[in-house]
Amino acid sequence: MLKIILHPNPILRKKSLNVANISDKKIQELVPEMMETMIMSNGVGLAAPQIGQNIRLLVAKYKDKNLVVINPIITHKSILKEWDEEGCLSIPNKYGQVRRPKNITVEFFDVQGQKQILKAKGLLARIIQHEIDHLDGILFIDTAKDITDIIY
Ligand code: ZN
């Protein structure tokens, strides 16, 4: 399991660069490690900056699907937005309401280097937007309202 970088580490605020070569051994080994780290941490998404690498790569879990998203570009955002609760593995025990476009279209490359076009809505659209924000150094607390600390 990889170590998750916590806020306010400056790595989380850097803009990440595109993955140059998806077939690179380092990338091919990193992807399953990120997936494992996300699942072991009970997360639904994990972006590469969160494990200390400023590259445009993220993994997400939605229903029974594991998604690997490399060099993503959001090509469409719905005008319709909605509020919902978010948290982040890099900001433990904090939750807040974030307003985001309800539906998006995202183009990216999968781990085999195949181009994919995904139309996502609801929770999956939210997860992908949250994780792409990480690639641009943006955290959900930047725009969230009603931030709550859960104290155990
Ligand atoms: Zn996050």
Side-chain angles (χ1 to χ4, degrees):
M1 180 159 158
L2 301 165
K3 186 170 180 273
I4 295 178
I5 303 276
L6 299 180
H7 172 69
N9 190 310
I11 290 171
L12 293 172
R13 291 306 192 174
K14 275 173 71 180
K15 195 168 160 65
S16 292
L17 299 174
N18 270 338
V19 175
N21 182 3
I22 294 170
S23 60
D24 190 308
K25 194 165 171 261
K26 273 186 271 178
I27 299 297
Q28 293 295 315
E29 286 175 359
L30 183 63
V31 166
E33 283 188 290
M34 282 180 63
M35 197 66 84
E36 186 197 9
T37 303
M38 173 185 70
I39 291 164
M40 301 273 282
S41 312
N42 294 315
V44 290
L46 183 69
Q50 294 181 275
I51 46 93
Q53 301 226 26
N54 284 114
I55 53 173
R56 301 186 80 81
L57 161 62
L58 64 93
V59 295
K61 187 175 157 59
Y62 180 67
K63 294 184 178 167
D64 54 350
K65 260 197 225 162
N66 293 332
L67 205 60
V68 179
V69 174
I70 301 170
N71 300 346
I73 296 169
I74 294 177
T75 56
H76 175 77
K77 291 181 179 182
S78 62
I79 295 163
L80 187 64
K81 294 183 179 184
E82 64 183 2
W83 292 94
D84 206 349
E85 189 177 74
E86 292 188 21
C88 181
L89 292 175
S90 294
I91 312 169
N93 306 327
K94 262 192 202 305
Y95 298 89
Q97 291 285 325
V98 182
R99 189 168 181 251
R100 297 193 186 271
K102 196 174 175 182
N103 309 309
I104 59 163
T105 303
V106 60
E107 298 189 10
F108 60 95
F109 294 89
D110 65 19
V111 71
Q112 280 88 35
Q114 295 291 316
K115 189 168 181 177
Q116 303 286 342
I117 299 172
L118 175 69
K119 288 179 191 287
K121 60 182 183 179
L123 180 61
L124 180 59
R126 179 168 296 273
I127 294 166
I128 291 171
Q129 291 177 85
H130 175 117
E131 300 309 329
I132 291 176
D133 275 355
H134 274 298
L135 308 182
D136 293 318
I138 298 164
L139 300 175
F140 85 94
I141 49 169
D142 298 348
T143 55
K145 67 167 195 179
D146 301 338
I147 293 175
T148 312
D149 288 277
I150 309 289
I151 299 158
Y152 292 98

